[in-house]
Amino acid sequence: MLTYEQARQRVIEQIGEKKGPRGTEQVRVGEALGYVLAQEVKTDREYPPFNRATRDGYAVFAADAKAGATLKCTGEIKAGDRVTKELWAETCVQIMTGAAVPSGADAVVMIEHTKRDGDEVRFERAAATGQNFVPRGSEARAGQTLLTPGMRLGYAELALAAQVGAAELKCAQKPRVAILSTGDEIVPVDSIPGRFQIRNSNSVSLAAQVRLAGGRPVLLGNAMDREDDLSSKIRRGLQEDLLVLSGGVSMGKYDLVEKVLREMKAEFYFDAVAIRPGKPAVFGKCGEKFVFGLPGNPVSTMVTFELFVAPAVDLLSGAEARALPIVEARLGEALEEKPGVTHFLPARMEGQGANLEVTALKWQGSGDVAALAKANCFVVVPVETEKIETGEKVSVLLRRELL
């Protein structure tokens, strides 16, 4: 049986061969958060386009602004002002953060290091050449490539694109991910369930995870525990870029997902992983489309999506698969788990930096969504580890949406 690292790598290898994107679209820069870029973005001029002050203070010749020197202030420059006059020797100009430094000035002295009396400014510290301003063109040259295809667009990348005038961006189309739950016990979220029925929460959580991963969810509802209904809905799901099923992948009489997929000539890359929760996870290919069968218990569904489906969405978006958001923290309370599988235990992490501490929560197994809603992470207990003592360092898988 594969470890979760081996199974994840198998997903990356298989889907990497068919790496997207399948198409592109033009997206307004203010609406492109989370998209994957499909073009180069270049500067339209030098940045900054002028020597830019980084502090409020006085523009000076550094040689004139010695400690104890007094210079005459001949004017004021604020951000956006057109600056045409040169600085004269033995004078200074008051300047605001972001304003253009006048020609000739080679330093900006912070206002905190001066005292002013009328037009006279006394400097309490000696100025150094080049201090407190950014030289023209030092951030980027004109025509320089700043963003490249395959980059995922976050707020900093979008700000950079906007700064250079890229009002629209050519982006990879987000992959369409079909989501299909299975089981006679499942009813729609807006229904009143019978005593032995449950609402379709998996479709809601999977749709949210698809969006967080950068895809577009396509909700197909629920398939009953009948081969004809399941087969029909799987065929519909295979019209999208990726199909994700929840439930029906264990060993029970009515767990029909693998059986139906095999009858449809699917090729399987794994059908079990040495993890808990989530052991019966399935990954394969049916025709030209990749398929995931995730266990139906909600926590299992969420864990296996993060481990295996999220990198698939990355690759189908035209980006590289992002690393799992794993950090280290000290264990708050000792743990003892059965070895043989890697455990992902809902947990709560507090603190910051070197003081991060994580404690596994009490839970009732992989159907306990209430416990997971209190968690902001999972403690990862390695496959051969049986006991971890309080205070030991452990790996922690963060919940992506709570980063």
Side-chain angles (χ1 to χ4, degrees):
M1 191 184 308
L2 299 179
T3 65
Y4 84 87
E5 296 97 337
Q6 291 169 333
R8 181 180 170 87
Q9 186 58 35
R10 189 159 295 183
V11 170
I12 292 170
E13 289 171 355
Q14 292 299 326
I15 296 186
E17 295 179 359
K18 301 288 185 181
K19 185 177 176 181
R22 289 171 168 75
T24 61
E25 59 182 298
Q26 293 296 119
V27 184
R28 295 287 298 174
V29 67
E31 300 171 356
L33 180 67
Y35 277 82
V36 173
L37 191 62
Q39 68 168 87
E40 288 188 339
V41 173
K42 297 184 177 183
T43 54
D44 58 335
R45 56 179 178 168
E46 292 179 316
Y47 283 91
F50 48 81
N51 293 341
R52 184 183 68 222
T54 61
R55 296 287 189 274
D56 293 333
Y58 295 91
V60 299
F61 290 99
D64 291 341
K66 298 180 174 63
T70 299
L71 302 177
K72 183 178 181 180
C73 182
T74 61
E76 176 184 290
I77 306 171
K78 65 180 184 299
D81 282 352
R82 181 180 174 85
V83 181
T84 57
K85 293 182 179 179
E86 294 186 16
L87 183 70
W88 302 335
E90 299 184 351
T91 67
C92 63
V93 175
Q94 187 170 9
I95 194 166
M96 312 305 169
T97 300
V101 177
S103 177
D106 60 3
V108 172
V109 178
M110 294 170 60
I111 199 167
E112 294 91 330
H113 301 154
T114 65
K115 287 186 177 179
R116 184 167 179 170
D117 183 9
D119 290 341
E120 301 295 318
V121 181
R122 176 182 171 82
F123 292 84
E124 299 181 332
R125 296 186 185 182
T129 300
Q131 75 180 32
N132 298 327
F133 76 89
V134 180
R136 174 181 174 180
S138 62
E139 294 175 351
R141 306 180 307 276
Q144 181 178 341
T145 298
L146 299 180
L147 303 175
T148 56
M151 294 181 68
R152 190 172 295 279
L153 296 169
Y155 53 80
E157 291 75 16
L158 294 177
L160 186 56
Q163 179 175 284
V164 302
E168 282 199 349
L169 297 168
K170 182 181 178 182
C171 297
Q173 291 179 345
K174 292 187 175 184
R176 292 170 59 88
V177 181
I179 296 170
L180 176 63
S181 64
T182 67
D184 289 350
E185 76 280 16
I186 306 296
V187 298
V189 173
D190 57 359
S191 297
I192 302 298
R195 181 180 176 187
F196 302 108
Q197 294 177 316
I198 57 174
R199 293 187 177 95
N200 192 356
S201 64
N202 278 353
S203 288
V204 174
S205 63
L206 284 172
Q209 287 185 284
V210 166
R211 291 189 183 96
L212 286 167
R216 294 190 190 280
V218 179
L219 296 174
L220 302 184
N222 184 70
M224 306 302 287
D225 291 325
R226 300 196 320 267
E227 290 186 33
D228 60 337
D229 190 42
L230 181 58
S231 176
S232 174
K233 290 188 167 88
I234 285 177
R235 291 184 190 280
R236 167 62 187 89
L238 293 173
Q239 296 174 27
E240 307 300 341
D241 298 317
L242 186 66
L243 172 59
V244 179
L245 300 102
S246 65
V249 293
S250 295
M251 301 298 290
K253 178 179 179 181
Y254 296 102
D255 291 317
L256 303 174
V257 167
E258 283 189 74
K259 182 176 188 295
V260 169
L261 285 171
R262 290 185 192 281
E263 290 173 354
M264 298 172 70
K265 309 300 182 185
E267 176 184 3
F268 292 93
Y269 303 112
F270 60 76
D271 60 5
V273 185
I275 58 174
R276 184 174 294 142
K279 182 178 178 181
V282 172
F283 170 54
K285 188 177 181 184
C286 193
E288 292 301 311
K289 301 296 175 68
F290 291 99
V291 181
F292 288 93
L294 308 182
N297 278 331
V299 181
S300 298
T301 305
M302 297 175 201
V303 169
T304 50
F305 184 99
E306 180 62 47
L307 295 178
F308 310 125
V309 185
V313 176
D314 280 341
L315 292 164
L316 292 173
S317 299
E320 297 301 321
R322 286 170 284 187
L324 284 170
I326 290 179
V327 299
E328 278 197 341
R330 293 194 314 273
L331 190 63
E333 294 181 11
L335 286 174
E336 190 167 353
E337 299 291 338
K338 292 182 179 179
V341 295
T342 301
H343 294 265
F344 291 87
L345 306 177
R348 188 82 194 170
M349 187 167 65
E350 306 289 349
Q352 55 185 319
N355 297 317
L356 283 174
E357 182 175 284
V358 65
T359 302
L361 301 179
K362 304 299 181 185
W363 68 316
Q364 302 302 317
S366 58
D368 191 353
V369 183
L372 188 56
K374 299 174 186 176
N376 58 9
C377 61
F378 299 89
V379 172
V380 183
V381 181
V383 64
E384 295 303 332
T385 300
E386 188 168 353
K387 189 171 184 179
I388 307 175
E389 300 292 349
T390 302
E392 288 189 43
K393 285 290 185 72
V394 292
S395 293
V396 178
L397 175 66
L398 303 178
R399 279 181 54 187
R400 184 185 295 261
E401 78 277 29
L402 300 182
L403 293 179

